[in-house]
Amino acid sequence: MNMDQSFEQVKRHELKSLHNSAVSHAIGQVLLNLLLLTLGSILCAISINGILIPNGFLSSGLAGLVLILHYLFPFLPVSTLYFLLNIPIFALGWEFVGRRFFFYSLAGMTIFSGSLAWSHVLFPVQDMLCSALLAGILSGVGGGITLKSLGSGGGTDILSVALLKRFSVRLGTTALAFNCMILLVGALFFPLEKVLYTLIYIYVSARILNLVVTGLSQRKAVMIVSNLGDAISRKILEETKHGVTILHGQGAYSGRDEKVLYTVVNFRELSRIKRLIRQIDPQAFMVVSDTLEVMGRRIGNQPQY
């Protein structure tokens, strides 16, 4: 065997190893996403079957429309209605969301429909307000976990993701706005008290969903004006490994040239950044603001739907 043949064998072996590793990673990702879809679907189904339906509450999104139809026509199963009403939404979603998200959502919708048929857990909570809060927490956590999976449970989640991708409207905000229309329809057929409790449930669910999706990774934009800008930027680079953009400005009153530092950090790192700045220049002027979304290679927090 000559040297060229030996080199080719080693190269083929390395390529085969890389291929096997990539396949294993892809399978692991698929299994993880399906696990998250299942867990999120079960939590949402438990919330509907165990709290919303026994108390006569409505729900959010497409599930709200399903419950309205179920209350008006009790012989119609919730799981079957949810599956059938998703068909036109998925036809629309094929045009507006990515194929990966579409197929994961198709799997999620099927899992959620099955969970509605099989998950029946009753909660010994008598107070209506506590029931609405508990249902909102369960649905918010379940919906957030589902969206963490790169898919959804179908319904208005697909519409929400389409708006997020095209107009940067937050998932929870879209859900809250859409659900107000469901409540208006519900108020025509059901006691207003039930609708108001449902509104509490929807609000809590939307807030929890946003928290689960962004969590402590919510990004903060930080602007710093200081005469010691070079020292501060070096310290941020050394201790947090975050990039810093130096903008050149001018003080309107003093007329002096100023360096304005701009960086984006997550919520957990914000206190560390503030401590570094106070140590170097206690007189530094700093502005911290929330970000709607951040897209980038390292710091980005926009899910890839």
Side-chain angles (χ1 to χ4, degrees), residues 85-137:
L85 291 178
N86 262 288
I87 294 176
I89 293 178
F90 271 88
L92 178 66
W94 180 262
E95 297 295 330
F96 291 99
V97 301
R99 294 296 177 259
R100 179 180 61 180
F101 178 75
F102 178 88
F103 286 113
Y104 273 127
S105 296
L106 185 61
M109 182 267 292
T110 304
I111 294 171
F112 184 49
S113 297
S115 299
L116 286 172
W118 297 101
S119 298
H120 297 277
V121 179
L122 294 178
F123 292 88
V125 180
Q126 303 301 322
D127 184 78
M128 301 283 279
L129 178 59
C130 291
S131 296
L133 293 174
L134 180 58
I137 292 171

Side-chain angles (χ1 to χ4, degrees), residues 75-76 81 100 104 135 152 163 177 188 199 231 248 277 279 294:
F75 60 90
L76 295 175
L81 278 173
R100 179 180 61 180
Y104 273 127
S152 75
L163 289 176
L188 299 176
L199 179 60
H248 297 281
I277 295 171
Q279 289 174 351
V294 179

Side-chain angles (χ1 to χ4, degrees), residues 18-93:
L18 289 173
H19 175 74
N20 292 337
S21 176
V23 170
S24 299
H25 178 73
I27 293 174
Q29 285 293 106
V30 170
L31 293 177
L32 176 61
N33 287 325
L34 291 177
L35 176 63
L36 292 174
L37 284 170
T38 302
L39 178 59
S41 297
I42 290 174
L43 287 175
C44 291
I46 288 175
S47 173
I48 292 174
N49 289 329
I51 302 177
L52 299 185
I53 293 178
N55 287 283
F57 295 161
L58 301 178
S59 183
S60 55
L62 186 65
L65 177 59
V66 168
L67 287 184
I68 290 175
L69 294 175
H70 175 69
Y71 293 147
L72 295 176
F73 309 100
F75 60 90
L76 295 175
V78 173
S79 57
T80 303
L81 278 173
Y82 188 81
F83 186 87
L84 293 176
L85 291 178
N86 262 288
I87 294 176
I89 293 178
F90 271 88
L92 178 66

Side-chain angles (χ1 to χ4, degrees), residues 13 24 50 180 210 223 239 241 258:
H13 178 72
S24 299
C180 287
N210 278 337
M223 295 189 71
E239 301 218 3
K241 308 303 180 184
E258 302 274 3

